[in-house]
Amino acid sequence: MASSAQLLSGPYAAIVTDSSLCQDTLFFEVPALDSINAFATIEPATESSLGSITLDSLIGGTPPYAYEWDNGHTGPSLSTLEPGVYSLTVTDANGCIASFSFEVKLASGLNDISAQAWRLFPNPTAQKVYVELPSGEPAIVRLFDGTGQLALAQKSSGGAGRYAINLEQLTPGMYWVQAITRDGALLGVKRLVIL
């Protein structure tokens, strides 16, 4: 007899026969499980301090989650990290497994955009949010909805200062905002509430 844990997602029919040889057909569907997506803030190492990885959120899967880093740590964050790549395996309540790699870089100077803070304001907001980048480097800002689906992506014009993102086409709710440099370095992830 197959259990639901052995079935792939999709529609199924099962014929059930009782001891009197009466039969009935049951129709059911095993839903597809959401893949697990991780969003983290990575603080680079510098000449005077070690780096860190802080898991900001997990989207998808079924909580609770179990964490296992390649160094044996079992929490959602790592600190006092030398520059390098660190791997995380996340297992959800259904036994679904997702693996992620995060790189802690060595900040090479004051102009290293990955080592600088960025701002998102006002929060919560209704129609417009401002992104403030500390450097002249252009960045890509992506908004993900609560299910982890990409809702909006916008490239900054470059230049230090702030620029606006129009939110009028998005439905109210909680979103995750990710800022990425043009070379793919993650600046961080922030939560945004749209009213």
Side-chain angles (χ1 to χ4, degrees), residues 50-125:
L50 296 174
S52 66
I53 303 170
T54 303
L55 200 59
D56 295 319
S57 69
L58 288 175
I59 298 175
T62 304
Y65 303 102
Y67 310 93
E68 185 171 347
W69 294 88
D70 55 357
N71 65 359
H73 184 70
T74 57
S77 301
L78 290 178
S79 59
T80 62
L81 299 175
E82 297 285 339
V85 176
Y86 297 85
S87 297
L88 169 65
T89 301
V90 177
T91 306
D92 77 356
N94 292 322
C96 294
I97 298 172
S99 297
F100 307 95
S101 292
F102 302 99
E103 183 177 7
V104 174
K105 294 184 178 183
L106 177 62
S108 58
L110 295 176
N111 293 327
D112 186 350
I113 191 168
S114 65
Q116 298 180 14
W118 63 286
R119 291 183 11 157
L120 181 73
F121 60 94
N123 191 6
T125 187

Side-chain angles (χ1 to χ4, degrees), residues 1 12-18 21-28:
M1 174 172 203
Y12 288 90
I15 300 173
V16 179
T17 306
D18 68 10
L21 300 179
C22 293
Q23 290 186 338
D24 195 6
T25 302
L26 302 172
F27 298 94
F28 62 96

Side-chain angles (χ1 to χ4, degrees), residues 116-148:
Q116 298 180 14
W118 63 286
R119 291 183 11 157
L120 181 73
F121 60 94
N123 191 6
T125 187
Q127 298 177 344
K128 196 178 283 189
V129 69
Y130 293 92
V131 175
E132 189 172 85
L133 300 171
S135 167
E137 293 278 336
I140 298 170
V141 177
R142 298 189 293 188
L143 278 76
F144 294 88
D145 65 17
T147 66

